[in-house]
Amino acid sequence: MKLKPGSLPWLAAHDLTLSWRRFLDMFGRLAPLATAGICLGGTIVLHLVAWRIMLLLPRLRPELGNAASATGAVFVLFVLAWMTAQGLLGMARTLLERGNMDLMLASPLPVPSILASRLASMVIGSVGSVALLALPLANMAAILYGPAWPAVYPTLLALAVIGTLGGAAVAIGLFLGAIRAAYGRSRSYVRR
Amino acid sequence: MRAGSRADGRSGAVAASASALQLRSLRKAFATRVVDDLDLTVRAGELYALLGPNGAGKTSTLRMVAGLLPPDAGGIEIFGIDALADPIAAKRITARLPDEPMLYDKLSPIEYLEFIAGLWGVEASRAERNAQELLDILELAPHRHAPCEGFSRGMKQKVALAGALIHDPLLIMLDEPLTGLDAGIARQVKDLLSARARAGATIILTTHILEVAERLADRIGILDRGRLVAEGTLVELSAQAGRGSSSLEDVFLAVTGQGTRAA
C-alpha cells in the first residue's frame, strides 16, 4: 500500500524508516539473513528469561500479599516516569536540533501535521524502549497464567501516549518560559 | 558576466514592475534588533545577492521569508502573496537552502528527493523526472542509491540543492551555497543557479565570497546591522560608494565601514 505523501502515516513511516536503518546499522555489515537470525535469537532468549521470571510469580504472590497491587502500581508509575522522560528528551531534541524541523516547517505542510507526526514517532520510540523487556514478560505470563496478561499491550501504548505527551508538554513549557525570560529581559535594551 | 551588464542584458526578459519578494519595514529583535525596519524588493526573475558582515541579519531575514521565524513587525509579500497571512501558499512557491543543509544520512539522494517532493506535494511522475534531471546535472546519478552518510560536504550540498529545486520553486533562497565547496563543485552549483535564473526563477543568495556576487548577481544588496545600507548593480554601488571603489570588495568595505574600522 502506498501512503499519501504529506499525510500523517507517510511522515511517521519516514521517521520509522530512519529509525529502522539506524537500528540495522548496529549490526554493521552483516548480511540481512544474519541480522534477522540475531534478532530472532535475541527475541527467543528474552522470552526464555521471561519464562523463568514468570515461573517465579506464584511463589512471590503469597509473600507480596496485599502489596501485590501496590507493586503493580509502582511498576506502572516507573514506566510512566520513563516514558515522560522520553517525551521530554524527544521534544527537547526536536526544538533544539534545527535542521530537520526547519526542513519540514519550510514546506507547505500544515504545522499541526508535522508536530503530530513528530509526537507519533516519539510515542512509538517510547513504546519500543519498554516493549523490548516488558512484552516478553507479558507473552510468557499469558501462556502460563491466562488471557488477561495481553492487556499489557494496550496499557503500554496508553502509558506511552500519556507519558510522551506529558513530557513533550513540559519541554515546550520550559522552552517557552526560557524564551520569554530571555526575550522579556532583552526588550529593555532593544535599540529603538 | 558582471552584475551591471547581466541586468542590462536581461531587461527585456524580466518584467521590472513584477516583484518576487517585497519586505516592508521588517523587524526582528532577539537580544538586539537583528533586522531593523528592512525594506527590500527583489524583482521577478533576477538573481539578487544579499551581502553583509557576520550578524548583519541576512540569515534571519531569509528565515522570516521562509516562514521559520515570525517577524516582530512588517510585511512579507512573495509574488503578491502575503506570506504572513497565507504562509502555506507562500511556501509552495518558495525554497530555502540553509548554510548547514539538512540531509538524512540514512537516505540515498533519490529517497531524499522523493521525500522532499512529497513534502511539497509534487506529483510522482513530475518528481521522478525532476529528480533524474537534477541528479544528472549535478553529476550525482552514479550515487543515486548510495546512503548520503558517506558523501563529502560538496556532494551533500549538491543533494540538498537538488532537494531545494525539486518542486520548481519560483523564489529560491540560498544561504551561503558555495561555502566549503571545491572549485569543480562550486562551478556546477553556479552553473545550475545561472540556468535556473535564465529559466525565470528568482534567486536570492547570501555569500561571503564577493567574487560570486560580482559575477552572478543582477543586483546586490548590502545589509549592515539589520538595515539595507546599499543596493544596486555593481556600477551603481560603485557610484554610491564614491571615489576609488571599483571592486565589490571596495564597495562592501566602504558602505559597511569595515575598511575604516580595520584601519
Side-chain angles (χ1 to χ4, degrees):
Chain A
M1 191 183 73
K2 204 152 167 81
L3 298 168
K4 185 173 175 273
S7 64
L8 192 57
W10 181 81
L11 287 169
H14 166 72
D15 275 342
L16 287 177
T17 303
L18 296 177
S19 301
W20 177 246
R21 289 189 184 174
R22 271 184 228 115
F23 171 73
L24 289 181
D25 254 15
M26 293 194 309
F27 299 94
R29 291 176 182 274
L30 280 182
L33 205 62
T35 305
I38 289 174
C39 291
L40 187 66
T43 308
I44 292 169
V45 168
L46 282 171
H47 278 81
L48 287 174
V49 173
W51 176 270
R52 283 297 302 158
I53 292 170
M54 281 298 150
L55 281 177
L56 297 174
L57 200 63
R59 266 192 263 165
L60 276 174
R61 266 206 176 139
E63 284 180 33
L64 286 171
N66 290 338
S69 303
T71 308
V74 167
F75 178 75
V76 166
L77 279 177
F78 175 76
V79 170
L80 189 62
W82 169 259
M83 286 174 164
T84 305
Q86 294 290 308
L88 218 154
L89 192 66
M91 186 48 76
R93 275 198 192 126
T94 300
L95 292 170
L96 295 175
E97 285 173 6
R98 210 159 80 168
N100 185 32
M101 282 307 273
D102 271 11
L103 179 67
M104 309 272 253
L105 292 173
S107 79
L109 288 186
V111 176
S113 297
I114 295 167
L115 294 179
S117 79
R118 179 71 17 192
L119 287 172
S121 305
M122 281 158 50
V123 167
I124 292 169
S126 291
V127 170
S129 66
V130 177
L132 191 70
L133 297 176
L135 294 187
L137 291 171
N139 294 340
M140 292 301 100
I143 293 169
L144 290 170
Y145 308 118
W149 282 90
V152 169
Y153 279 78
T155 307
L156 210 57
L157 186 63
L159 287 173
V161 171
I162 295 166
T164 307
L165 294 187
V170 170
I172 290 171
L174 289 172
F175 194 75
L176 291 179
I179 287 178
R180 183 170 288 186
Y183 188 61
R185 216 178 298 134
S186 70
R187 270 212 181 280
S188 56
Y189 56 85
V190 165
R191 191 156 45 89
R192 295 281 171 195
Chain B
M1 202 183 292
R2 293 174 77 91
S5 59
R6 194 165 176 272
D8 296 342
R10 291 178 57 196
S11 58
V14 176
S17 59
S19 64
L21 175 68
Q22 268 202 316
L23 306 180
R24 287 200 201 91
S25 306
L26 198 66
R27 198 186 299 165
K28 183 73 192 175
F30 298 112
T32 56
R33 202 172 279 185
V34 289
V35 178
D36 196 359
D37 286 320
L38 177 63
D39 288 298
L40 177 73
T41 300
V42 178
R43 297 173 198 140
E46 78 177 343
L47 203 155
Y48 189 97
L50 195 58
L51 310 180
N54 291 332
K58 306 182 295 289
T59 299
S60 296
T61 301
L62 294 191
R63 284 176 63 78
M64 284 191 276
V65 175
L68 297 171
L69 194 63
D72 294 339
I76 301 171
E77 216 170 79
I78 301 171
F79 283 98
I81 300 166
D82 184 340
L84 301 178
D86 191 357
I88 290 182
K91 286 172 181 177
R92 273 200 195 104
I93 55 170
T94 309
R96 171 179 171 265
L97 182 68
D99 49 350
E100 287 292 335
M102 164 63 203
L103 277 189
Y104 298 103
D105 280 351
K106 300 292 170 203
L107 296 186
S108 66
I110 197 76
E111 288 171 326
Y112 175 76
L113 295 181
E114 272 173 19
F115 176 68
I116 302 295
L119 286 179
W120 262 266
V122 182
E123 189 212 337
S125 61
R126 191 179 131 214
E128 200 177 317
R129 199 173 52 242
N130 285 0
Q132 187 58 54
E133 188 189 322
L134 286 163
L135 291 175
D136 285 340
I137 291 171
L138 292 167
E139 296 177 12
L140 286 166
H143 312 281
R144 52 186 288 148
H145 295 300
C148 293
E149 62 191 342
F151 288 5
S152 65
R153 182 189 158 90
M155 283 171 76
K156 285 182 178 176
Q157 183 81 354
K158 289 199 291 184
V159 176
L161 178 62
L165 301 178
I166 190 84
H167 64 288
D168 296 322
L170 294 177
L171 176 64
I172 304 164
M173 296 176 286
L174 308 153
D175 205 353
E176 300 286 352
L178 302 172
T179 303
L181 303 188
D182 66 39
I185 293 177
R187 169 61 70 87
Q188 285 176 343
V189 171
K190 282 189 275 186
D191 287 348
L192 180 58
L193 294 180
S194 298
R196 287 284 163 150
R198 279 196 302 275
T202 305
I203 299 173
I204 302 172
L205 68 89
T206 72
T207 181
H208 285 295
I209 310 169
L210 300 183
E211 181 262 342
V212 170
E214 209 169 323
R215 286 190 57 200
L216 290 179
D218 296 313
R219 285 195 308 143
I220 296 161
I222 300 176
L223 278 184
D224 191 24
R225 299 185 188 95
R227 284 177 178 273
L228 192 66
V229 291
E231 187 184 48
T233 62
L234 183 61
V235 175
E236 290 165 351
L237 285 175
S238 298
Q240 280 177 41
R243 57 220 137 64
S245 301
S246 56
S247 72
L248 183 56
E249 188 179 20
D250 293 333
V251 174
F252 182 84
L253 294 175
V255 298
T256 59
Q258 288 202 322
T260 52
R261 273 180 234 164

